[in-house]
Amino acid sequence: MSTAAAFTPASTPTDRTPVFDPARAVVDDPDYIPVYGDQFWTLSALDGNPTRQSTRIDWSNFPAALREQFRLAAWGIINLPIPAELLSTRIGTMRGRLGIRAVVSLVGRWRRFAAWLDTQSITSLDQVTGEVQSEYVNYLHRETPSGPDTIRHHLTGLTRLHLHALAYLPGHCRIAEPPWSGLGHRAFLQQPLAAGENRTEPIHPDTMAPLLTWALRFVEEFADDILTARAEFNRLRERAKQPRTPRDRQVLERYLEESVTAGRSIPVNRHGRWPGTACVYIAGTLDIAAEVVYQTVVRPRWRQYISDHPGPSPLNIPIAGSIEGEPWIEMIEFDEIQPLVRHLGTACYIVLAFLTGMRPGEVLVLEAGCCRVDEAAGPSQPKRVSITGRHFKDARDSEGNHLATGEVRNTPWVTVHQAAQAIEVLERLVDTGLLFAVDHHDFERSNRPPGRALSPGVINQRISDFIAWANKQNATKQPGTGHIPADPAGPVTTARFRRTLAWHIARQPDGLIALAVQYGHLRTVVSEGYASRSRGGIHELLDFETARSVADYLSDLGSQLDAGTGVSGPAAQRLIQAVAQQGEQFGGIITTERQARALLSDPLLNVFENKKAYLTCNYDPHKALCHPERAAKRTAPSLDRCAKGCANAARTDEHARQLRTEAQRLKTEAASMLTPQPIADRLAVRAEHLHSLAEVHDAERIVTAPRRPQ
């Protein structure tokens, strides 16, 4: 550790002043606390998030003329909060002190600003006028493809630099008041800002369905085999570590000679990065020291024989898991266990992230013992799974400053039993502590300090590897078991699962994406679990996606009505009014959470299409027949319990067409010689019922515009 002068934040720092008060370190035994004059400021001791990666500032990247002024500003940002009286004078929300990752990001934006100032021959911050800052904004618009949200962060960074300088820095280090201080950021952005996670593209159903299928296979079918194989792998590896004995060479020579005589192959590494003889496997199998094997197989005779007779290194375990009734893998080899354990951890992440709605960092800091499964309230109800863990995004102390170690959520996450299975698998993998601990999931970096978790970036790469493995398995070993196509919006990343969950619950409640997972149940438990939280829950994202779904549907229906489509049913007039009101108020576009709340709070726009029942539900809880209790507090229908004669139902011409198509399919099936007569009779009755519904629609349909010629 560097030797440093006493920490005195009230004074001007010297080269030997610590960059931060060592007492603020939240990591046990921090290995390094930088001093002010260092080229690199390593700040990881202030970051208590187990998923943390490098938090380092490199001052050599700043132009020399401006470096010391920005260094002083950064030291102040780390140690001294902006006074509340200065924060109260500006538009918008800004906290007095930043979390350490936010500090590193802020200094990164300052570095870009400093580099641009250097190109303008500006050598002191007191030369930065409002006009200069406006020019910088124009530069960002030209050179920043990431869009307005990135530019907003740059503007906020300059505002913070200005306010902090007013409070603490000498005059030559102060930039002028930014021109957006009184007007707000929007006046300086060329596009409207989208809301946070709402910009994230959901994973396409064609990609998500097989991806989740493979992830659930690992959790439900393959996990026992992989964990049993890992135990055998560890047993053989431990046996191979024993000290050498005089008998070891005799045992090995006899094994090799017998292999030559019988023409048997010698185990080699076929799946890892380093091909060659499987020395540890051979040593563990023969119960001898690996050192002896390494020294022997390099001899020319054995090297040549092994090169000509390479073979597998199967672990002696039964294969219990299956796909479509067939073993999912012929055998698990010694050098295959590490990539399979990585894929198992990735599968658990996919299941947890998708079925809980957690943010990536929240999944990765879950700990053993975090899950509780309550018995179902009734035979038709799912078991309630609750997960307790830490969150970091909104973790604040009593003064509103970011908590580096995060905090335990007051309300657990709630989900379905598949997530509990994933946690159970992870607990078998790690025993105690972090479920995604680096030392259990990253075999090639086992020297990492304890208490670290895998980072979202590492999981992103592992998801890509998982998809590649599944597609190879599908193509070469088990064709037809589920190819995972590339997603049209780009790589599948950790940040996309949360939005995808909301998208599927809102838009495909009856989809087969999660196989046995029932989306109606998932919506219920997720909504109930987040209902008591005042901010930041996935229910906000779910509401946003639901509102977008409603707006999209009503907008499309508006185009159909304009083309002459008819509507029938008790709620036909309400549906027509909803189409008109949505078009006038939202125009089919929901871009902000405020718009989403406005749409969902309008009873007239509470519209849900039920594709299985071939109708649209214009939901009024007082008229609903899908809830026996007719509870007025229900905000959504139970689409799996649509009842005949409900006053909320309406049908369109498209629904009538679908009714006739299904009726014809059922008639064809009923007429087949292969269909047993009792079943054929039921199919015929069902077909006639669907056809009569279509006939009723034709007789009662309301048309608001003349039908356009086809």
Side-chain angles (χ1 to χ4, degrees):
M1 180 183 292
S2 301
T3 355
F7 182 82
T8 54
S11 62
T12 302
T14 68
D15 281 354
R16 305 307 302 163
T17 300
V19 172
F20 55 86
D21 185 351
R24 288 178 56 197
V26 296
V27 177
D28 292 338
D29 190 26
D31 56 357
Y32 183 72
I33 295 180
V35 295
Y36 186 83
D38 286 344
Q39 174 181 328
F40 301 106
W41 288 5
T42 302
L43 307 175
S44 54
L46 295 177
D47 189 0
N49 190 329
T51 66
R52 63 188 177 276
Q53 294 176 293
S54 175
T55 46
R56 189 174 77 163
I57 297 171
D58 181 359
W59 290 110
S60 68
N61 291 328
F62 280 74
L66 295 163
R67 182 180 303 138
E68 296 311 314
Q69 293 182 6
F70 279 103
R71 188 196 299 260
L72 182 60
W75 182 86
I77 287 288
I78 292 170
N79 296 290
L80 306 170
I82 297 175
E85 57 268 24
L86 288 179
L87 294 176
S88 65
T89 62
R90 64 177 302 277
I91 296 176
T93 302
M94 179 178 284
R95 301 187 183 276
R97 189 188 292 276
L98 294 175
I100 202 60
R101 294 191 185 192
V103 169
V104 174
S105 297
L106 173 67
V107 174
R109 289 189 284 274
W110 285 355
R111 183 197 59 76
R112 184 172 182 182
F113 181 51
W116 180 81
L117 292 176
D118 190 53
T119 66
Q120 308 301 306
S121 301
I122 293 176
T123 58
S124 179
L125 291 179
D126 59 359
Q127 300 171 12
V128 179
T129 63
E131 289 78 9
V132 170
Q133 295 177 63
S134 294
E135 283 298 318
Y136 181 59
V137 174
N138 292 334
Y139 161 78
L140 290 175
H141 279 300
R142 294 193 305 269
E143 303 296 331
T144 306
S146 301
D149 200 46
T150 299
I151 295 173
R152 178 176 62 85
H153 287 306
H154 281 277
L155 304 189
T156 302
L158 294 184
T159 299
R160 189 171 286 275
L161 177 62
H162 165 69
L163 293 176
H164 196 275
L166 282 181
Y168 302 110
L169 302 187
H172 70 282
C173 293
R174 298 178 185 174
I175 66 172
E177 180 178 12
W180 49 86
S181 292
L183 300 174
H185 293 150
R186 291 185 183 276
F188 286 79
L189 299 174
Q190 296 175 354
Q191 305 173 40
L193 290 174
E197 292 169 312
N198 298 333
R199 300 189 319 275
T200 305
E201 285 290 333
I203 302 167
H204 195 281
D206 290 347
T207 300
M208 190 67 233
L211 175 60
L212 186 59
T213 298
W214 277 105
L216 288 170
R217 281 172 176 163
F218 264 83
V219 170
E220 297 175 342
E221 287 285 336
F222 309 163
D224 285 345
D225 293 341
I226 294 172
L227 293 175
T228 302
R230 187 185 70 138
E232 176 66 6
F233 170 88
N234 288 336
R235 186 185 71 83
L236 294 177
R237 191 169 58 172
E238 288 303 311
R239 289 175 64 174
K241 290 180 180 178
Q242 62 187 320
R244 63 186 300 169
T245 64
R247 65 172 282 278
D248 288 358
R249 187 172 297 280
Q250 297 173 1
V251 171
L252 179 61
E253 293 283 356
R254 184 167 58 252
Y255 164 76
L256 293 173
E257 292 291 354
E258 290 175 353
S259 297
V260 171
T261 301
R264 290 196 303 259
S265 61
I266 304 296
V268 297
N269 297 320
R270 303 192 301 173
H271 302 281
R273 295 184 179 181
W274 298 280
T277 307
C279 297
V280 175
Y281 172 80
I282 293 171
T285 303
L286 299 177
D287 195 15
I288 62 177
E291 175 188 358
V292 175
V293 183
Y294 283 118
Q295 293 174 349
T296 303
V297 298
V298 295
R299 295 176 183 174
R301 177 192 177 192
W302 300 126
R303 182 188 299 171
Q304 184 61 50
Y305 182 81
I306 294 170
S307 176
D308 295 338
H309 299 80
S313 54
L315 294 168
N316 186 25
I317 66 158
I319 301 299
S322 64
I323 299 177
E324 305 293 338
E326 297 293 330
W328 70 279
I329 196 169
E330 294 178 7
M331 59 182 169
I332 297 178
E333 297 190 49
F334 185 82
D335 64 329
E336 197 175 15
I337 188 60
Q338 291 185 351
L340 283 177
V341 169
R342 273 196 291 270
H343 293 324
L344 179 60
T346 304
C348 290
Y349 178 91
I350 292 169
V351 171
L352 282 169
F354 181 65
L355 295 182
T356 65
M358 294 184 193
R359 294 181 173 88
E362 294 168 342
V363 178
L364 294 172
V365 299
L366 291 175
E367 298 183 11
C370 66
C371 182
R372 188 183 73 187
V373 181
D374 298 330
E375 289 302 315
S380 63
Q381 298 297 315
K383 290 184 178 181
R384 181 187 178 97
V385 177
S386 57
I387 302 174
T388 302
R390 283 184 288 166
H391 71 113
F392 291 84
K393 183 177 180 180
D394 297 319
R396 306 288 175 187
D397 61 20
S398 57
E399 298 178 355
N401 296 313
H402 183 262
L403 283 175
T405 54
E407 64 180 355
V408 177
R409 283 167 45 95
N410 293 328
T411 305
W413 289 279
V414 288
T415 182
V416 286
H417 75 278
Q418 285 85 354
Q421 288 180 280
I423 289 177
E424 182 183 354
V425 168
L426 290 167
E427 288 174 337
R428 293 169 62 189
L429 189 62
V430 305
D431 296 327
T432 60
L434 291 165
L435 295 179
F436 289 94
V438 167
D439 47 350
H440 286 282
H441 288 267
D442 198 337
F443 301 97
E444 296 168 5
R445 300 183 182 180
S446 56
N447 60 340
R448 287 278 189 90
R452 297 285 182 90
L454 298 175
S455 69
V458 170
I459 296 294
N460 287 341
Q461 181 58 53
R462 293 190 178 191
I463 292 172
S464 176
D465 295 341
F466 181 85
I467 292 172
W469 182 92
N471 284 341
K472 181 179 179 181
Q473 191 85 354
N474 178 73
T476 61
K477 297 183 180 180
Q478 292 165 319
T481 55
H483 174 75
I484 306 173
D487 188 273
V492 176
T493 60
T494 58
R496 298 179 65 189
F497 287 104
R498 181 175 162 88
R499 171 73 190 284
T500 306
L501 171 65
W503 190 93
H504 279 282
I505 292 177
R507 295 173 182 258
Q508 292 194 342
D510 299 314
L512 297 177
I513 179 171
L515 303 180
V517 177
Q518 298 178 31
Y519 274 101
H521 291 160
L522 192 55
R523 173 187 275 275
T524 300
V525 296
V526 168
S527 298
E528 287 177 354
Y530 279 88
S532 59
R533 292 199 72 203
S534 60
R535 57 184 296 181
I538 194 175
H539 70 287
E540 294 178 355
L541 194 55
L542 177 56
D543 287 348
F544 181 87
E545 198 56 59
T546 300
R548 289 186 62 180
S549 176
V550 171
D552 288 348
Y553 176 68
L554 291 176
S555 180
D556 290 344
L557 183 54
S559 299
Q560 295 174 34
L561 294 180
D562 290 342
T565 285
V567 183
S568 71
Q573 290 291 356
R574 277 195 286 144
L575 181 58
I576 292 170
Q577 293 172 18
V579 168
Q581 182 159 322
Q582 186 282 141
E584 180 179 339
Q585 188 172 355
F586 301 103
I589 300 174
I590 301 293
T591 59
T592 68
E593 290 178 357
R594 178 179 297 179
Q595 290 175 317
R597 288 193 295 269
L599 185 147
L600 294 177
S601 64
D602 188 335
L604 183 61
L605 300 182
N606 216 359
V607 174
F608 302 84
E609 185 182 21
N610 188 344
K611 295 181 179 180
K612 284 193 172 182
Y614 309 103
L615 57 78
T616 294
C617 175
N618 298 252
Y619 185 66
D620 180 342
H622 299 284
K623 300 177 181 179
L625 298 183
C626 57
H627 302 138
E629 70 278 12
R630 306 283 287 275
K633 63 182 180 181
R634 294 266 192 168
T635 60
S638 294
L639 296 180
D640 58 339
R641 295 193 296 185
C642 268
K644 181 180 179 181
C646 182
N648 290 332
R651 282 195 170 90
T652 67
D653 289 348
E654 176 60 21
H655 291 137
R657 185 194 66 78
Q658 293 170 359
L659 284 167
R660 287 189 169 90
T661 300
E662 178 63 9
Q664 184 58 49
R665 186 189 70 80
L666 294 175
K667 287 180 180 179
T668 302
E669 187 175 348
S672 171
M673 297 294 293
L674 300 176
T675 304
Q677 192 58 44
I679 296 177
D681 292 342
R682 287 198 296 271
L683 292 176
V685 170
R686 173 65 175 164
E688 184 58 34
H689 172 68
L690 296 182
H691 183 76
S692 67
L693 291 177
E695 292 294 315
V696 169
H697 167 80
D698 289 348
E700 298 179 354
R701 60 193 291 270
I702 300 170
V703 180
T704 60
R707 181 178 292 275
R708 296 175 185 172
Q710 299 295 317

